[in-house]
Amino acid sequence: MWFNGVEVFKSHKVRMAQWDRLRQLPVVYTQQLHELYDRDALPMDVRHYLSAWIEKQEWQRAARDHDLAVVLLQVLLENLDIQHSRFVQEESFLMQHNIRRYKQNFQRYLEDPCALASTILWFLEKEKEILQTADLAEQVQSLHVEQEAMETSSQQDLERKMAGLRNEVQCMEHTMICLEEQQDEFDFKYQTHKMEAVADEAVKKTQIRVLQSLVNRLNDCRKSTLSDLNKLLDRTRDLIDILVNKELVEWQRRQQKSCIGAPDDVCLDQLEKWFTCVAVCLFQVREFLSKLEELVEKVSYDNDPVKSQRPSLQRRTDALLNDLLKSSFVVETQPSMPQGKGPLVLRTNVQFSVKTRLLVKFPELNHSMKVNVSMEREAPQIKGYRRFNVLGTKTKALNMAESQSGGMVADFRHLTLKEQKCGGSNKGGSDIPLTVTEELHIIYFDTVFELKGLSVQLQASSLPVVIISNSSQQQSAWASILWFNMLSLDTKDVMFFANCPAATWPQFGEMLSWQFLSATKRGLNADQLQMIAHRLFGKQKNYDTCKVAWSKFSKENSPDTFWVWFDGILVMVKTFLEDLWRDGLIMGFVSKGKEKSLLKKKQRGTFLLRFSESVIGGITFSWVDIDDFGQPDVKTVQPFTKVDLTQIPFHEIIRNFQILEAENIPENPLLYLYPNTPKDEAFRKYYSEKTGDDSPYIKYIKTKLVFVSKENTLEARSLVSSDMAQGEGLEPVNGLCGEAAEQSENPSPLETYHPDPLLTGPGEPPQELLMYLNNPNLFTDSDMFEDDPELPDFSLQEFGFLPPQTCGSMYQ
């Protein structure tokens, strides 16, 4: 008990501090606070002066307990009287007036004190959301700062090394000048000695000793210079190793991930700066070596170190420069079609674009290096492996005009692919079963770097692309691109799918989140990912060790594979629900069992929005009601798909959805978006300004949003039934739906059409469309009762009759 008391005390202390914490938030969040309290329901003055008392009370219980709500309302009014007396003593005329007005406004809750409790509870929850958002932003900023600090530290270290290299090159320039001056001094004295006829042997010997001293100093200086050049090349080699084997490899991996939606930085400007710096230094080393050769031609002697060491230094310098240059030619923007699902999926006879870049930037090479495009030279020895030709403008010059940052790029914008008609190709190849969308192809780019006597053949290659001939293959092709770039570190492995590895759950979940993040700017949270993991692996204590096979992702249960289901949701969200998703109003990925356990703990009318687990590209909503025994009862509508969402926005469906309660009085059962946000507060900014008969969606509302009785028999009421004929609830297997029903000349005998109940006048009997079904196999393909151990088993035979549930109809 003592431990629990401590915990209660701690949480109480946190609640007490809520208002103070809010007041200390940065301006962006205090602005949200001002906007929250820019209404009369709970004035900010009252919240401020009564903050300690407000945060102590059990408003959640009071929202359900009328007696407690009455007590709290009375105490609230008494506290306002106390505050009013205080302002009278302080002679604060304005606050006296305000407090008196606030008290009068609160007195209207005397008939419904629970409503006041719900209102104050809603404000407190909104405050917590602001605090949580601020805390999350602070945590993200902290992590971002730490990551930036690490990256900055690494970049600063590399910058220091670059500065050290430039400094050594400058020192070498000074050394070469000194060496040349020493040699000129020796050469001048030596030539003078040769021209003078000195008879005195003593003088002659003195001159020779001076010359010998000079040549010794020259030799030492040459040895020192050669040693310094070796050290300079050592430093350069280390930097090239960092650039080529670390920085460039990391950039390539970031580019792979960014192609499949990761928010990674793929800017090449910094790499270009570093590559160019090292290349410039190496070209200066080549000039130093040329200078040494020139000096040796003027003055040389036995055991001259320059003669013996300069050739090896030249080879080493050229080899380092070759390595640097060959790695500096990259594909900056991977091949993509203008209307494609993503990069790296290309279609025959459809134009695509791709951009290459040379990271070694020498302005004198602007427009002089020609880049040629081609496909793979040697196709893998696989039966049926296709070959392609590149058509269009296949040659372009690297230039600085097509890059916003002034980089050396060749931007190909009008390329197409055409399949080669080579009968019997690869007849002797291995019989590996690869589908068209598992075939990987690589596009190559060739050019020649020529500068100051150096000529180097350069080649860049794209990431593997999937080439399709029909738009229906695009979804499957994109799945292949996702899988390859999620897992493969070998960017030239065109045989990847011949022996395809599995993905760990952390890899797979992150990739799925990237899809939503890139499409809608909002990824998946931990709870949503856990639901997906549960769908794939069942209930596990820890999903980190679970693995997803390629076949499970893209092949099992074809055509309705996991990827088809997930991508159907993604397309629906991007097309119809992006704003709602981005604002966090859609819970989305939540199982039905979890959904019911969440809603049963909430007040009547609480609802949430989730994606269908059985209907491709479907979204539904469930709400909690109270049954005749006072128990929570969760109800769900059949999923809405693009058929519906193209006719009416989802928020208007939520706004206008109604069921017929007792005495056929229509009521919208959706009151609070989970956990407890009033529906209109959550969706108001999306609503159409026109309502009622003036609503642009009135036809859909009156004919497609079905009204259902609360009796044991569910009755679908509408002028016409829905376009939906499948879903998670009762399916109209024996009747026509939607347009089919409207166009049928011989309506089913199970169908009876009546005017819409909303259109009947007072006193007229409710009219309805009934489809009487009694099919024991109705739930065969339904997932409505999965994942909920609390639901009792039952048989449809218990019902006298069951009507079909059209899109937007309700099942329990």
Side-chain angles (χ1 to χ4, degrees), residues 789-803:
E790 299 179 10
L791 289 178
D793 295 331
F794 71 96
S795 167
L796 295 181
Q797 304 296 342
E798 298 174 10
F799 296 90
F801 61 85
L802 286 174

Side-chain angles (χ1 to χ4, degrees), residues 428-524:
S430 60
D431 193 11
I432 299 175
L434 290 181
T435 64
V436 167
T437 55
E438 291 175 330
E439 261 188 32
L440 299 178
H441 300 264
I442 295 177
I443 303 174
Y444 290 92
F445 306 86
D446 296 278
T447 189
V448 180
F449 181 95
E450 292 181 328
L451 183 67
K452 299 179 180 179
L454 181 71
S455 179
V456 183
Q457 297 281 341
L458 306 183
Q459 184 180 85
S461 58
S462 71
L463 290 171
V465 300
V466 174
I467 303 174
I468 60 177
S469 56
N470 192 293
S471 59
S472 63
Q473 300 169 315
Q474 192 161 162
Q475 188 179 52
S476 179
W478 182 238
S480 297
I481 295 302
L482 291 175
W483 203 260
F484 178 90
N485 289 290
M486 172 177 58
L487 297 177
S488 181
L489 299 179
D490 181 358
T491 57
K492 294 186 179 180
D493 183 12
V494 295
M495 298 294 291
F496 175 80
F497 287 101
N499 185 22
C500 189
T504 64
W505 168 247
Q507 291 174 314
F508 187 72
E510 184 178 44
M511 180 272 288
L512 295 181
S513 184
W514 290 341
Q515 304 316 296
F516 270 85
L517 184 63
S518 61
T520 69
K521 304 298 184 290
R522 183 188 180 96
L524 304 178

Side-chain angles (χ1 to χ4, degrees), residues 655 671 677-685 687:
R655 181 187 188 184
L671 303 178
T677 305
K679 177 189 65 179
D680 290 339
E681 180 69 24
F683 295 95
R684 180 178 290 114
K685 72 177 183 178
Y687 288 165

Side-chain angles (χ1 to χ4, degrees), residues 20 57 112 193 195 228-229 244 287 341 408 435 464 500 510 516 538 580 583 627 631 654 696 703 737 785 787 807:
D20 292 334
Q57 310 312 314
D112 188 7
H193 172 74
M195 289 186 295
D228 289 343
L229 282 171
V244 173
E287 292 177 5
K341 196 169 185 66
M408 294 280 287
T435 64
C500 189
E510 184 178 44
F516 270 85
L580 299 182
D583 288 346
D627 63 18
Q631 297 299 314
I654 295 169
T703 61
C737 290
F785 294 111
D787 301 324
C807 181

Side-chain angles (χ1 to χ4, degrees), residues 382-600:
I382 301 176
K383 287 183 179 179
Y385 189 89
R386 300 166 300 159
R387 300 286 298 272
F388 296 89
N389 292 325
V390 181
L391 305 179
T393 307
K394 298 188 293 182
T395 302
K396 288 201 72 174
L398 286 167
N399 65 89
M400 295 186 291
E402 294 180 315
S403 172
Q404 292 182 350
S405 62
M408 294 280 287
V409 303
D411 192 358
F412 297 88
R413 300 181 182 179
H414 306 289
L415 299 177
T416 56
L417 297 175
K418 185 175 183 180
E419 185 176 354
Q420 296 179 7
K421 300 299 181 181
C422 301
S425 63
N426 290 334
K427 283 188 175 181
S430 60
D431 193 11
I432 299 175
L434 290 181
T435 64
V436 167
T437 55
E438 291 175 330
E439 261 188 32
L440 299 178
H441 300 264
I442 295 177
I443 303 174
Y444 290 92
F445 306 86
D446 296 278
T447 189
V448 180
F449 181 95
E450 292 181 328
L451 183 67
K452 299 179 180 179
L454 181 71
S455 179
V456 183
Q457 297 281 341
L458 306 183
Q459 184 180 85
S461 58
S462 71
L463 290 171
V465 300
V466 174
I467 303 174
I468 60 177
S469 56
N470 192 293
S471 59
S472 63
Q473 300 169 315
Q474 192 161 162
Q475 188 179 52
S476 179
W478 182 238
S480 297
I481 295 302
L482 291 175
W483 203 260
F484 178 90
N485 289 290
M486 172 177 58
L487 297 177
S488 181
L489 299 179
D490 181 358
T491 57
K492 294 186 179 180
D493 183 12
V494 295
M495 298 294 291
F496 175 80
F497 287 101
N499 185 22
C500 189
T504 64
W505 168 247
Q507 291 174 314
F508 187 72
E510 184 178 44
M511 180 272 288
L512 295 181
S513 184
W514 290 341
Q515 304 316 296
F516 270 85
L517 184 63
S518 61
T520 69
K521 304 298 184 290
R522 183 188 180 96
L524 304 178
N525 61 33
D527 291 335
Q528 292 163 339
L529 287 171
Q530 187 174 31
M531 178 270 174
I532 297 173
H534 184 271
R535 178 186 175 96
L536 289 168
F537 310 114
K539 189 173 182 179
Q540 304 285 338
K541 289 184 179 179
N542 188 345
Y543 293 104
D544 289 353
T545 57
C546 296
K547 291 189 175 182
V548 184
W550 165 241
S551 58
K552 192 175 187 69
F553 174 60
S554 184
K555 292 189 173 184
E556 289 182 6
N557 303 317
S558 182
D560 296 336
T561 64
F562 173 88
W563 169 241
V564 170
W565 170 74
F566 185 87
D567 189 52
I569 292 171
L570 182 63
V571 171
M572 173 187 63
V573 171
K574 176 63 178 174
T575 307
F576 302 107
L577 308 170
E578 184 172 354
D579 290 339
L580 299 182
W581 173 263
R582 190 183 296 131
D583 288 346
L585 302 180
I586 300 175
M587 188 173 291
F589 294 100
V590 55
S591 68
K592 289 171 292 303
K594 178 71 171 177
E595 170 192 67
K596 290 178 174 62
S597 68
L598 292 175
L599 290 177
K600 284 182 177 179

Side-chain angles (χ1 to χ4, degrees), residues 182-359:
Q182 280 190 340
Q183 179 167 314
D184 288 344
E185 180 185 3
F186 168 78
D187 188 44
F188 174 77
K189 290 185 178 180
Y190 179 71
Q191 296 300 331
T192 302
H193 172 74
K194 284 173 59 177
M195 289 186 295
E196 290 180 348
V198 179
D200 190 333
E201 286 296 326
V203 174
K204 189 174 183 179
K205 287 180 180 181
T206 301
Q207 289 180 344
I208 291 175
R209 281 197 299 272
V210 171
L211 290 173
Q212 186 63 52
S213 175
L214 288 174
V215 80
N216 289 341
R217 285 175 55 199
L218 179 61
N219 187 63
D220 290 342
C221 190
R222 285 187 174 183
K223 285 181 179 180
S224 176
T225 301
L226 293 169
S227 177
D228 289 343
L229 282 171
N230 263 308
K231 291 177 182 178
L232 179 57
L233 291 178
D234 287 343
R235 181 187 286 268
T236 307
R237 178 201 60 206
D238 293 343
L239 279 171
I240 291 176
D241 184 61
I242 294 173
L243 289 178
V244 173
N245 298 322
K246 181 180 180 294
E247 297 293 336
L248 186 60
V249 169
E250 289 178 359
W251 174 82
Q252 289 171 336
R253 182 59 187 153
R254 290 198 302 272
Q255 188 189 47
Q256 269 191 282
K257 293 193 295 181
S258 71
C259 283
I260 57 174
D264 286 14
D265 180 14
V266 292
C267 179
L268 284 169
D269 292 350
Q270 185 61 62
L271 270 178
E272 179 188 74
K273 177 183 175 183
W274 288 334
F275 268 78
T276 302
C277 174
V278 176
V280 168
C281 290
L282 282 173
F283 270 105
Q284 287 180 286
V285 171
R286 293 183 88 245
E287 292 177 5
F288 297 152
L289 293 173
S290 296
K291 188 63 178 179
L292 284 176
E293 184 178 21
E294 178 186 322
L295 293 177
V296 167
E297 289 176 355
K298 293 180 179 179
V299 175
S300 186
Y301 43 85
D302 293 340
N303 299 319
D304 187 345
V306 173
K307 279 189 175 182
S308 60
Q309 295 183 38
R310 196 200 68 82
S312 63
L313 286 171
Q314 186 73 57
R315 288 192 297 271
R316 189 180 177 196
T317 303
D318 290 349
L320 290 172
L321 202 45
N322 266 268
D323 291 344
L324 182 70
L325 290 171
K326 287 184 176 180
S327 300
S328 68
F329 190 39
V330 298
V331 177
E332 180 177 21
T333 305
Q334 293 294 330
S336 63
M337 299 185 297
Q339 303 301 322
K341 196 169 185 66
L344 303 172
V345 176
L346 306 180
R347 183 178 171 185
T348 53
N349 303 316
V350 174
Q351 284 190 349
F352 67 93
S353 61
V354 60
K355 183 191 293 185
T356 59
R357 182 166 178 172
L358 184 65
L359 298 179

